[in-house]
């Protein structure tokens, strides 16, 4: 079976400079893939000239005259830019012309347009954003929701767990992923009301529910999946990015202090690079928008060629293994069994 | 003016091994301080023998027969262990025999017993836990609440801001600290309902309200204070501890791989130690329980002699500069001005 991936070629901080090389890399690695590049056709063609070895018979260019900017309000992206590369790419999935869409554009716009064009799966109240975060075990802890839903009811969190459960089976090949509910521990009051009720509901499902986990369990890799509302998830994700950036900034600063410390940096290069590789967020690039009638993958806005390739790979795995159909099935089974 | 500090000598993972040496260190540095050591009097006396240079005339020992364990449920700590070192130490403050109390014990128990014994200040609906987190600027970002209140109303968050405002003026000498409201940014929905309403209320106060901040702003040091509910605060704090631990674990692991990498570690020691020093959480030890009729400082359970000293120092600054009275005044002014 061949897989067709629609790529918002203009999206993200870098646009074509990243999306075109990464697409060509991917086509060369996977002979069963076709890529639909959506955006300014002239500029795309021009960018492709630099990749004469690219299999042009598996590349299709679809023109879109507008681009959703990273700071465009959702309303502008959704209502005014009706010929944006993002929207036209999503429409490819809606029309059955592509199996998945990948964009590095504005997350809010991507979710809003995807919901509008693709609609939500039956039984799913709220789509959610799921992504893997590097953990101590050298694997990724998949966390959701990362910002689509700031106020959640217990049933929404249970649905997030159900969707992520299918996603990890399909994309990561984990047969029965463990699920943790993000909570606070030994402090005065254990968890808020929504989380307490969610715990009770999760125990009643047939999911592999581990129970409550705390903030540090994300990085310990205590469970494969960590479920929380989009407010908490987004704050944790950004705080972690902020801390990691501060740490690496400090390390760079201290090694750049003098000629002597620069020499020390050269001496310590190998282990430090190994550390960086192990927690390299680029390898975990590609958040999945779950709960839609179509496979939508969000790449980090600042993703480079290497990172974007990982997002494309997640889209490929999800599409090839029919993630959306399997989530839909899980919700049908769930509903009939209740 | 002399300051009397009550110390729960038995609290924390290490108890006397940490509290006694740190108390003796502190007394030697501050001639205007008296310390009341609360706990098993025999064991305290025995531990003091190792510090013959300690100014015994400024040390008082008060006996308490029980100890709140780190995993004691709050009910046990509060209702059954009525002669715990924690409770007896807090009672010193209640009875006007000490100006502040420091404990490394169980946070939940410390908050519950403090609320029960000391009561809450007029105008304060909910006490909160505030602590500083190291940021890029080399200062601390004070964050609250860190786990006392998982479900908050907008007015509670406004009160947290008001209390932290006084705390930073008093303890850190920042005349008009800037206050950020923790929120999520460009994602689909900007913030939950409570946060939106809190922002409106904070704009109406005379506080130096910066506006919304995101997770990474905590580590950028965008504002002096970051306000959030105790659920989010606790998750972020623990996630950050988890990430920092993972990073330092990975660095150690990579430098310990072989004799060669161990040699590299020696070469890189100076800059790496400087980084560690700059983000050393021990220097930020000492969370403040705000909103009580008495000054209560929580030291990290695993604090060592060095870290515990910082918690004692925060208690000393808060007591000397009459933090509790000034918070009380701020709430009187606030109430009459409304």
């Amino acid at each position: 079976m061949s897989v067709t991936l629609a790529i918002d070629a203009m999206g993200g901080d870098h646009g074509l400079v990243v999306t075109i090389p990464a697409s060509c890399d991917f086509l060369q690695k996977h002979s069963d893939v076709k890529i639909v590049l959506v955006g300014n056709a002239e500029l795309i063609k021009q960018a492709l000239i630099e990749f004469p070895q690219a299999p042009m018979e598996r590349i299709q260019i679809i023109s879109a005259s507008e681009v959703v900017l990273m700071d465009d309000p959702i309303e502008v992206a959704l209502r005014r830019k009706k010929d944006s590369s993002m929207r036209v790419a999503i429409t490819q999935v809606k029309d059955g012309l592509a199996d998945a869409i990948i964009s590095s554009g504005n997350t809010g716009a991507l979710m809003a347009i995807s919901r509008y064009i693709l609609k939500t799966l039956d039984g799913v109240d709220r789509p959610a954003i799921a992504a893997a975060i590097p953990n101590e075990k050298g694997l990724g802890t998949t966390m959701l929701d990362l910002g689509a839903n700031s106020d959640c009811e217990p049933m929404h969190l249970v649905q997030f767990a159900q969707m992520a459960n299918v996603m990890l089976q399909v994309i990561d090949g984990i047969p029965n992923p463990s699920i943790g509910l993000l909570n606070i521990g030994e402090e005065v009051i254990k968890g808020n009301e929504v989380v307490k009720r969610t715990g009770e509901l999760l125990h009643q499902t047939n999911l592999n529910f581990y129970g409550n986990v705390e903030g540090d369990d994300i990085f310990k890799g205590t469970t494969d999946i960590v479920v929380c509302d989009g407010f908490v998830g987004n704050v944790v994700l950004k705080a972690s990015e902020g801390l990691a950036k501060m740490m690496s900034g400090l390390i760079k600063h201290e090694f750049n202090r003098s000629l002597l410390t620069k020499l020390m940096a050269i001496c310590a290069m190998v282990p430090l690079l190994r550390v960086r590789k192990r927690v390299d967020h680029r390898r975990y690039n590609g958040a999945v928008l779950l709960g839609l009638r179509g496979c939508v993958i969000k790449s980090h806005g600042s993703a480079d060629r290497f990172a974007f390739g990982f997002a494309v790979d997640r889209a490929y795995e999800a599409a090839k293994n029919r993630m959306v159909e399997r989530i839909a099935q899980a919700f049908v089974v769930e509903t009939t069994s209740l």
Side-chain angles (χ1 to χ4, degrees), chain A residues 77-303:
Chain A
L78 185 63
R79 313 254 171 248
R80 296 209 209 134
K81 294 190 170 175
K82 296 204 174 165
D83 197 38
S84 71
S85 57
M86 186 187 277
R87 184 164 179 157
V88 174
I90 295 168
T91 308
Q92 296 299 303
V93 175
K94 161 79 178 166
D95 295 345
L97 302 172
D99 301 303
I101 173 255
I102 305 105
S103 174
S104 297
N106 183 326
T107 312
L110 185 64
M111 180 57 104
I113 300 174
S114 297
R115 281 183 83 154
Y116 180 75
I117 303 275
L118 299 173
K119 314 295 180 209
T120 306
L121 285 170
D122 285 338
V124 175
D125 291 316
R126 306 261 199 102
I129 303 170
I133 293 171
N135 65 33
E136 271 176 27
K137 295 183 176 168
L139 302 164
T141 303
T142 295
M143 197 167 162
L144 81 168
D145 172 37
L146 294 177
N149 311 279
S150 37
D151 287 298
C152 287
E153 300 294 317
M155 204 52 217
H156 302 146
L157 296 173
V158 172
Q159 292 179 2
F160 297 169
Q162 289 167 329
M163 295 192 287
N165 180 54
V166 177
M167 171 183 150
L168 263 72
Q169 289 178 19
V170 167
I171 299 187
D172 302 288
I174 301 172
N176 194 21
S178 57
I179 296 166
L181 179 61
L182 194 58
N183 202 343
I184 64 176
E186 59 202 344
E187 312 307 326
V188 182
I189 302 153
K190 285 197 188 176
N192 58 28
E193 290 309 317
V194 170
V195 170
K196 281 182 206 168
R197 179 77 190 117
T198 305
E200 293 164 15
L201 290 175
L202 279 170
H203 274 300
Q204 293 165 27
T205 65
N206 53 6
L207 295 169
N208 179 10
F209 180 47
Y210 170 90
N212 289 334
V213 293
E214 295 190 53
D216 50 345
D217 288 302
I218 300 165
F219 297 99
K220 281 185 192 160
T222 307
T223 54
D224 298 313
I225 296 165
V226 170
V227 174
C228 59
D229 71 44
F231 189 90
V232 175
N234 189 275
V235 167
V236 168
L237 184 72
K238 287 196 178 143
S240 305
E241 285 176 359
L243 174 55
K245 211 171 150 189
M246 175 176 90
M247 295 286 288
S248 69
L250 282 175
I251 291 173
K252 267 185 209 147
H253 174 81
E254 290 300 339
F255 278 110
N256 267 322
R257 262 177 185 265
S258 67
L259 191 61
L260 183 66
T261 57
K262 279 180 190 165
L263 282 172
M264 288 174 178
I266 295 168
C267 292
M269 195 65 91
V270 175
L272 287 177
L273 286 179
R274 272 215 202 99
V275 172
R276 198 171 75 177
K277 190 175 166 188
R278 282 198 51 180
V279 294
D280 189 351
H281 58 85
R282 297 181 304 167
R283 294 175 182 277
Y284 297 88
N285 188 37
V288 184
L289 274 52
L290 291 170
L292 301 164
R293 293 178 188 269
C295 182
V296 182
I297 304 290
K298 163 72 174 94
S299 159
H300 203 286
S302 67

